[in-house]
Short mmCIF file of all heavy atoms in Angstrom, two decimals:
data_model
loop_
_atom_site.label_atom_id
_atom_site.label_comp_id
_atom_site.label_asym_id
_atom_site.label_seq_id
_atom_site.Cartn_x
_atom_site.Cartn_y
_atom_site.Cartn_z
N THR A 223 98.12 58.94 76.36
CA THR A 223 97.53 59.12 77.67
C THR A 223 98.29 60.21 78.41
O THR A 223 99.51 60.10 78.59
CB THR A 223 97.57 57.82 78.49
OG1 THR A 223 96.83 56.81 77.80
CG2 THR A 223 96.95 58.03 79.87
N LEU A 224 97.58 61.24 78.84
CA LEU A 224 98.19 62.33 79.59
C LEU A 224 97.76 62.17 81.05
O LEU A 224 96.71 62.66 81.48
CB LEU A 224 97.74 63.68 79.04
CG LEU A 224 98.03 63.91 77.55
CD1 LEU A 224 97.59 65.32 77.13
CD2 LEU A 224 99.51 63.70 77.25
N SER A 225 98.57 61.43 81.80
CA SER A 225 98.27 61.11 83.19
C SER A 225 98.84 62.21 84.07
O SER A 225 99.90 62.08 84.69
CB SER A 225 98.88 59.75 83.55
OG SER A 225 98.59 59.41 84.88
N ALA A 226 98.11 63.32 84.12
CA ALA A 226 98.55 64.50 84.85
C ALA A 226 97.32 65.34 85.15
O ALA A 226 96.22 65.06 84.66
CB ALA A 226 99.57 65.29 84.04
N CYS A 227 97.50 66.40 85.92
CA CYS A 227 96.38 67.24 86.33
C CYS A 227 95.86 68.12 85.19
O CYS A 227 96.65 68.76 84.50
CB CYS A 227 96.79 68.13 87.50
SG CYS A 227 97.21 67.23 89.00
N GLN A 228 94.56 68.14 85.01
CA GLN A 228 93.85 69.10 84.16
C GLN A 228 94.30 69.08 82.70
O GLN A 228 94.22 70.10 82.01
CB GLN A 228 94.02 70.53 84.72
CG GLN A 228 93.55 70.69 86.15
CD GLN A 228 93.66 72.12 86.61
OE1 GLN A 228 92.69 72.88 86.50
NE2 GLN A 228 94.81 72.52 87.11
N THR A 229 94.74 67.93 82.20
CA THR A 229 95.21 67.88 80.81
C THR A 229 94.07 68.00 79.81
O THR A 229 94.30 68.27 78.63
CB THR A 229 95.99 66.58 80.55
OG1 THR A 229 95.18 65.45 80.93
CG2 THR A 229 97.29 66.57 81.34
N GLY A 230 92.83 67.78 80.28
CA GLY A 230 91.67 67.91 79.39
C GLY A 230 90.99 69.26 79.48
O GLY A 230 89.97 69.48 78.83
N ARG A 231 91.56 70.19 80.27
CA ARG A 231 90.98 71.53 80.35
C ARG A 231 91.41 72.33 79.12
O ARG A 231 92.52 72.20 78.61
CB ARG A 231 91.45 72.25 81.61
CG ARG A 231 91.03 71.60 82.91
CD ARG A 231 89.54 71.67 83.14
NE ARG A 231 89.04 73.04 83.21
CZ ARG A 231 89.04 73.78 84.28
NH1 ARG A 231 89.54 73.32 85.43
NH2 ARG A 231 88.53 75.01 84.27
N ASN A 232 90.51 73.20 78.68
CA ASN A 232 90.77 74.02 77.49
C ASN A 232 90.20 75.41 77.70
O ASN A 232 89.29 75.61 78.51
CB ASN A 232 90.10 73.41 76.25
CG ASN A 232 90.57 72.02 75.93
OD1 ASN A 232 91.56 71.83 75.25
ND2 ASN A 232 89.85 71.01 76.43
N VAL A 233 90.70 76.35 76.94
CA VAL A 233 90.04 77.64 76.80
C VAL A 233 89.03 77.50 75.67
O VAL A 233 89.38 77.06 74.56
CB VAL A 233 91.05 78.76 76.48
CG1 VAL A 233 90.32 80.05 76.12
CG2 VAL A 233 91.98 78.99 77.66
N VAL A 234 87.77 77.80 75.95
CA VAL A 234 86.72 77.71 74.94
C VAL A 234 86.64 79.07 74.24
O VAL A 234 86.13 80.04 74.79
CB VAL A 234 85.36 77.34 75.55
CG1 VAL A 234 84.31 77.17 74.46
CG2 VAL A 234 85.48 76.05 76.37
N ALA A 235 87.16 79.12 73.02
CA ALA A 235 87.24 80.37 72.27
C ALA A 235 85.99 80.56 71.40
O ALA A 235 85.05 79.76 71.45
CB ALA A 235 88.50 80.39 71.42
N GLY A 236 85.99 81.60 70.57
CA GLY A 236 84.88 81.86 69.68
C GLY A 236 84.57 80.69 68.77
O GLY A 236 85.48 79.99 68.32
N GLY A 237 83.28 80.46 68.52
CA GLY A 237 82.89 79.34 67.69
C GLY A 237 83.07 78.00 68.37
O GLY A 237 83.13 76.96 67.71
N ASP A 238 83.16 78.01 69.73
CA ASP A 238 83.36 76.79 70.52
C ASP A 238 84.67 76.10 70.18
O ASP A 238 84.80 74.89 70.34
CB ASP A 238 82.19 75.83 70.35
CG ASP A 238 81.97 74.97 71.60
OD1 ASP A 238 81.97 75.52 72.71
OD2 ASP A 238 81.82 73.74 71.45
N GLU A 239 85.66 76.84 69.72
CA GLU A 239 86.97 76.27 69.42
C GLU A 239 87.73 76.07 70.72
O GLU A 239 87.81 76.96 71.56
CB GLU A 239 87.76 77.20 68.50
CG GLU A 239 89.13 76.65 68.13
CD GLU A 239 89.90 77.60 67.23
OE1 GLU A 239 89.49 78.77 67.10
OE2 GLU A 239 90.91 77.17 66.66
N LEU A 240 88.30 74.87 70.91
CA LEU A 240 89.03 74.55 72.13
C LEU A 240 90.52 74.78 71.91
O LEU A 240 91.10 74.31 70.93
CB LEU A 240 88.78 73.09 72.53
CG LEU A 240 87.34 72.69 72.81
CD1 LEU A 240 87.27 71.27 73.32
CD2 LEU A 240 86.69 73.63 73.81
N LEU A 241 91.13 75.47 72.88
CA LEU A 241 92.56 75.75 72.81
C LEU A 241 93.23 75.09 74.01
O LEU A 241 92.96 75.43 75.15
CB LEU A 241 92.81 77.26 72.84
CG LEU A 241 92.09 78.08 71.76
CD1 LEU A 241 92.36 79.57 71.97
CD2 LEU A 241 92.53 77.64 70.37
N GLY A 242 94.09 74.10 73.73
CA GLY A 242 94.76 73.40 74.82
C GLY A 242 95.47 72.15 74.32
O GLY A 242 95.66 71.95 73.12
N LEU A 243 95.85 71.30 75.27
CA LEU A 243 96.62 70.10 74.94
C LEU A 243 95.86 69.14 74.04
O LEU A 243 96.43 68.49 73.16
CB LEU A 243 97.03 69.38 76.23
CG LEU A 243 97.99 70.13 77.15
CD1 LEU A 243 98.13 69.40 78.48
CD2 LEU A 243 99.36 70.29 76.50
N MET A 244 94.54 69.02 74.25
CA MET A 244 93.74 68.10 73.45
C MET A 244 93.85 68.41 71.97
O MET A 244 94.17 67.53 71.15
CB MET A 244 92.27 68.17 73.89
CG MET A 244 91.34 67.27 73.09
SD MET A 244 89.59 67.73 73.29
CE MET A 244 89.38 67.64 75.06
N ARG A 245 93.58 69.63 71.61
CA ARG A 245 93.64 70.02 70.21
C ARG A 245 95.04 69.84 69.64
O ARG A 245 95.21 69.38 68.50
CB ARG A 245 93.20 71.47 70.06
CG ARG A 245 93.12 71.95 68.61
CD ARG A 245 92.69 73.40 68.51
NE ARG A 245 92.51 73.80 67.13
CZ ARG A 245 91.39 73.65 66.44
NH1 ARG A 245 90.34 73.11 67.02
NH2 ARG A 245 91.31 74.04 65.19
N ALA A 246 96.05 70.16 70.43
CA ALA A 246 97.43 70.05 69.96
C ALA A 246 97.78 68.61 69.62
O ALA A 246 98.37 68.33 68.57
CB ALA A 246 98.39 70.61 71.01
N PHE A 247 97.44 67.65 70.49
CA PHE A 247 97.77 66.25 70.24
C PHE A 247 96.98 65.68 69.06
O PHE A 247 97.50 64.88 68.29
CB PHE A 247 97.55 65.41 71.49
CG PHE A 247 98.77 65.34 72.38
CD1 PHE A 247 98.81 66.06 73.57
CD2 PHE A 247 99.85 64.57 72.03
CE1 PHE A 247 99.92 66.00 74.39
CE2 PHE A 247 100.98 64.49 72.85
CZ PHE A 247 101.01 65.21 74.04
N LEU A 248 95.71 66.07 68.93
CA LEU A 248 94.94 65.61 67.78
C LEU A 248 95.54 66.15 66.48
O LEU A 248 95.66 65.42 65.49
CB LEU A 248 93.48 66.04 67.92
CG LEU A 248 92.67 65.34 69.01
CD1 LEU A 248 91.28 65.97 69.13
CD2 LEU A 248 92.56 63.84 68.76
N CYS A 249 95.93 67.41 66.49
CA CYS A 249 96.55 67.99 65.29
C CYS A 249 97.91 67.38 65.00
O CYS A 249 98.33 67.31 63.85
CB CYS A 249 96.68 69.51 65.45
SG CYS A 249 95.10 70.39 65.40
N ALA A 250 98.61 66.91 66.05
CA ALA A 250 99.92 66.28 65.86
C ALA A 250 99.82 64.87 65.31
O ALA A 250 100.84 64.29 64.93
CB ALA A 250 100.69 66.28 67.18
#
Side-chain angles (χ1 to χ4, degrees):
T223 300
L224 303 182
S225 181
C227 296
Q228 303 184 93
T229 54
R231 298 292 299 276
N232 301 273
V233 171
V234 183
D238 209 47
E239 181 181 14
L240 300 186
L241 304 177
L243 295 171
M244 178 197 304
R245 184 180 185 87
F247 271 106
L248 291 174
C249 290

